[in-house]
Amino acid sequence: MNSCKVCDNDLKNIVNFGPMPISNRFLPAPPEEEFLYELSVGFCSECYMVQLEKTVDPEMMFNENYAFFSSTSKKMENHFDEMAEDILEIIANQTSPFVIEIGCNDGIMLKNIAKRGIHHLGMEPSGNVAERARENGVEVFTGFFNGKSALDIMEKHGEADVISGANVMCHIENINSVLEGAAVLLKNDGVMFFEDPYLLDIVKKTSFDQIYDEHVFYFCGLSISELAQRNGLQLVDMAAQGVHGGSMRYFLKKGSKNRVSENVTRHISAEREFNLHTLDGYLSFQKKVNKISADLRKMLVALKEQGQRIAAYGATSKSTTLLNFSKIGPELIDYICDTTPTKIGKYTPGTHIPIKSHQHFQTDSPPYTLLLAWNHQKEIFAKELEYRKKGGKFITFFPGINIK
Ligand code: SAH
Ligand code: TYD
Ligand code: ZN
């Protein structure tokens, strides 16, 4: 039996995907052998946390060769400019505020704080993206945030007014230690906030590609409320975010007697309506995953049999789960186009599909394109108006298969 990383209770299995490679490990050449781990998700009925049953060593995922650079989407640039504005509002009345970001990546958010001369620190274990953040004027400590590093930061920089994180808290297995550390590091009236893909959106859409090695947890208000309480913090507000296919921002404060926004009550009752507090809420998930996966493969095979060529758009880490689980490889997809320079010329983990440049996609103009970066659909459709005008078609798959 696997046990809960928050409360040690036994986990109940929700979904299995079988052996998977490291999701962001794009390969210089198709290898003889690849590291694989068993990808499956379980539910804890004690603290409501949905989580991976088996995890991968963080140093295998977050290192010098990390493939994901945050600043590859215009929409995300805007989103993080707005997040920085939100932080400025929170610290408006502080005389010498201190702002921390966990997982600052290439500095997409924190550069906005840095350029205003505000005392800040980014914690980022992946050396290559941390270096990019430094080039963007951000002060970065190359390392993992945890209970110990929280104490080190406090000793060196003092207490924090804001501790923020986007798409990173759900990556950290020793989550109790992170929150414990944050509770120590925060000023008494300080705020911790973070956002991650929202479990309710994942369940509603069956967007199972959000499940991969880096995403150890799938948060919702129910689980964050419990998690906060166990670590001397309180969930005081929640705000839905229209990014990454549906994310949720959680605001935490120290203690247990803060004013709690009615947003928390509202979101948690919606979660209860979908039964996210019992195993019942997850019983049909595997079946729906299997159906989407089988339907998608069937459609791609049928197109191939008609002699059509199919490419894909966005070599995302998410797509590692979709492609490997659905057994979609180079026999169905000619190549994936991506704008990230370090991904171009490489091959996808497990499925070994070549990654090509965006220019290649534009000149090639394949009749069908599987939209792997579906969370950026609006931005990509705006960019590919010409392609669609000329008759090019995008294939999407959540909540069901669609040709657009
Ligand atoms: N915040 C950015 C990056 C998300 S990707 C965005 O939303 O676009 C997740 C990032 O968190 C990676 O850059 C990874 O190296 C970093 N990370 C992973 N574990 C971490 C930890 N324990 N502490 C700090 N950063 C971590
Ligand atoms: P994303 O969906 O943000 O993340 P993840 O890896 O966590 O699943 O990744 C988007 C990928 O798509 C990234 O490799 C950059 C690429 N991309 C393009 O190639 N063109 C675009 O217009 C956009 C928005 C993204
Ligand atoms: Zn638990």
Side-chain angles (χ1 to χ4, degrees):
M1 207 43 146
N2 298 294
S3 54
C4 173
K5 286 168 255 309
V6 176
C7 77
D8 225 23
N9 187 38
D10 286 346
L11 293 179
K12 301 185 171 81
N13 177 263
I14 297 175
V15 62
N16 293 300
F17 295 97
M20 283 286 153
I22 304 273
S23 63
N24 252 321
R25 189 182 275 176
F26 297 92
L27 309 154
E32 298 274 306
E33 238 185 285
E34 239 175 305
F35 169 84
L36 299 173
Y37 70 100
E38 280 296 316
L39 179 62
S40 68
V41 173
F43 167 70
C44 173
S45 51
E46 194 70 28
C47 74
Y48 313 124
M49 191 62 86
V50 172
Q51 55 197 278
L52 293 188
E53 292 182 318
K54 302 266 183 307
T55 55
V56 170
D57 176 1
E59 310 209 348
M60 282 183 82
M61 302 184 279
F62 309 117
N63 52 46
E64 242 343 283
N65 301 312
Y66 192 54
F68 178 73
F69 285 74
S70 298
S71 301
T72 42
S73 152
K74 201 71 222 133
K75 182 181 170 188
M76 293 313 293
E77 288 261 11
N78 295 338
H79 177 75
F80 285 116
D81 290 353
E82 284 167 16
M83 183 186 282
E85 292 295 327
D86 295 342
I87 291 179
L88 294 176
E89 215 168 279
I90 296 173
I91 60 176
N93 296 323
Q94 305 293 341
T95 38
S96 52
F98 176 37
V99 175
I100 296 171
E101 189 187 11
I102 306 175
C104 67
N105 198 276
D106 59 11
I108 188 167
M109 194 291 284
L110 218 41
K111 67 182 178 195
N112 297 291
I113 301 294
K115 77 175 179 210
R116 288 175 168 87
I118 295 164
H119 181 198
H120 67 277
L121 182 70
M123 285 292 291
E124 177 49 69
S126 301
N128 57 341
V129 294
E131 197 45 44
R132 187 69 61 82
R134 280 186 201 102
E135 288 160 18
N136 282 325
V138 174
E139 184 175 348
V140 189
F141 180 80
T142 307
F144 290 91
F145 186 89
N146 52 37
K148 158 119 191 15
S149 54
L151 293 180
D152 294 345
I153 296 174
M154 195 161 81
E155 210 159 278
K156 196 155 168 241
H157 294 261
E159 293 177 328
D161 293 85
V162 174
I163 302 176
S164 72
N167 307 301
V168 63
M169 290 296 284
C170 72
H171 294 51
I172 312 179
E173 180 166 359
N174 49 351
I175 190 91
N176 283 324
S177 134
V178 167
L179 287 207
E180 226 174 85
V184 174
L185 185 52
L186 268 186
K187 280 187 187 161
N188 279 340
D189 58 349
V191 182
M192 174 180 210
F193 75 86
F194 52 90
E195 63 186 46
D196 292 278
Y198 186 36
L199 177 64
L200 186 54
D201 284 305
I202 296 175
V203 168
K204 278 185 183 167
K205 296 188 185 119
T206 320
S207 44
F208 66 89
D209 61 353
Q210 292 287 5
I211 299 168
Y212 56 92
D213 50 1
E214 293 183 15
H215 289 174
V216 176
F217 297 108
Y218 305 86
F219 295 148
C220 64
L222 284 158
S223 56
I224 293 299
S225 174
E226 282 283 326
L227 175 70
Q229 239 176 63
R230 284 167 193 268
N231 292 289
L233 293 161
Q234 187 176 20
L235 174 62
V236 296
D237 205 356
M238 289 168 72
Q241 308 291 318
V243 295
H244 290 311
S247 286
M248 183 61 76
R249 189 178 293 176
Y250 306 90
F251 296 83
L252 274 51
K253 285 193 167 179
K254 274 167 104 150
S256 57
K257 297 191 172 62
N258 300 283
R259 198 187 77 77
V260 176
S261 158
E262 64 90 26
N263 294 327
V264 173
T265 333
R266 181 168 53 85
H267 285 299
I268 289 185
S269 22
E271 294 166 9
R272 284 184 179 275
E273 255 173 62
F274 273 82
N275 271 329
L276 296 193
H277 61 305
T278 74
L279 193 61
D280 290 353
Y282 309 97
L283 288 180
S284 57
F285 195 74
Q286 176 95 56
K287 228 170 143 180
K288 290 183 187 160
V289 167
N290 293 351
K291 173 151 175 45
I292 293 174
S293 167
D295 286 353
L296 179 61
R297 187 163 203 290
K298 211 161 108 191
M299 160 188 277
L300 297 178
V301 168
L303 286 173
K304 269 313 235 202
E305 280 170 3
Q306 290 163 24
Q308 300 286 0
R309 277 187 324 111
I310 314 165
Y313 203 111
T316 60
S317 46
K318 284 187 284 297
S319 65
T320 299
T321 299
L322 179 90
L323 298 172
N324 281 280
F325 183 64
S326 310
K327 300 199 167 30
I328 297 170
E331 67 294 342
L332 292 172
I333 303 291
D334 290 4
Y335 61 90
I336 306 179
C337 78
D338 198 285
T339 52
T340 314
T342 51
K343 290 183 185 176
I344 297 166
K346 295 202 174 131
Y347 296 81
T348 54
T351 46
H352 310 157
I353 303 170
I355 301 167
K356 303 211 165 164
S357 67
H358 180 241
Q359 288 89 314
H360 181 88
F361 170 79
Q362 284 191 311
T363 38
D364 181 45
S365 206
Y368 288 92
T369 303
L370 183 63
L371 185 58
L372 297 173
W374 58 271
N375 45 313
H376 299 296
Q377 176 174 309
K378 209 166 159 203
E379 179 173 349
I380 291 170
F381 275 19
K383 206 154 131 186
E384 305 304 342
L385 267 180
E386 250 332 278
Y387 168 69
R388 292 177 78 214
K389 256 196 215 150
K390 284 190 295 189
K393 300 247 184 298
F394 278 104
I395 302 169
T396 60
F397 33 86
F398 295 135
I401 320 300
N402 229 312
I403 295 190
K404 296 175 182 166

